[in-house]
Amino acid sequence: MEGKLIVFEGVARSGKSTLINMLGDKLRAYGHDPVFTEWNSYGSLQEIINDKKTYFTFSPLTYSLLHLSEFALRYEEIIKPALENG
């Protein structure tokens, strides 16, 4: 794969988004086209996860499986193609 994967990790409100935006601006200034994706952001699965979290209607296993499915879809449809395209 030609692309590079950069991961930001940290607790809520620790400045991750600020750093990501600054890095994205810098990469674009150098002619790169960064792709951004974040935890629990995949369309219809995001809605299901948020709904079930709101109403406490799933078990820890279901919660884990939904998040795993969400990540697998983001990887296959967003992350992997972006890495392959450089």
Side-chain angles (χ1 to χ4, degrees):
M1 292 187 191
E2 295 295 319
K4 303 289 184 238
L5 177 65
I6 301 171
V7 177
F8 286 80
E9 185 175 340
V11 298
R13 306 196 51 79
S14 64
K16 295 181 304 291
S17 295
T18 301
L19 290 172
I20 290 166
N21 290 329
M22 290 170 58
L23 178 60
D25 291 343
K26 187 65 82 173
L27 289 170
R28 281 186 283 282
Y30 281 101
H32 299 287
D33 186 22
V35 174
F36 172 76
T37 183
E38 61 185 328
W39 181 258
N40 192 28
S41 64
Y42 192 87
S44 59
L45 275 180
Q46 177 189 18
E47 294 170 23
I48 292 168
I49 292 169
N50 288 341
D51 181 61
K52 292 199 168 287
K53 265 201 277 192
T54 300
Y55 298 105
F56 305 102
T57 56
F58 56 2
S59 69
L61 177 61
T62 305
Y63 178 82
S64 298
L65 291 173
L66 282 171
H67 276 292
L68 177 62
S69 299
E70 189 272 340
F71 177 76
L73 287 168
R74 277 189 304 116
Y75 177 78
E76 288 294 326
E77 296 185 11
I78 299 170
I79 298 168
K80 185 178 176 185
L83 288 171
E84 290 173 343
N85 290 328

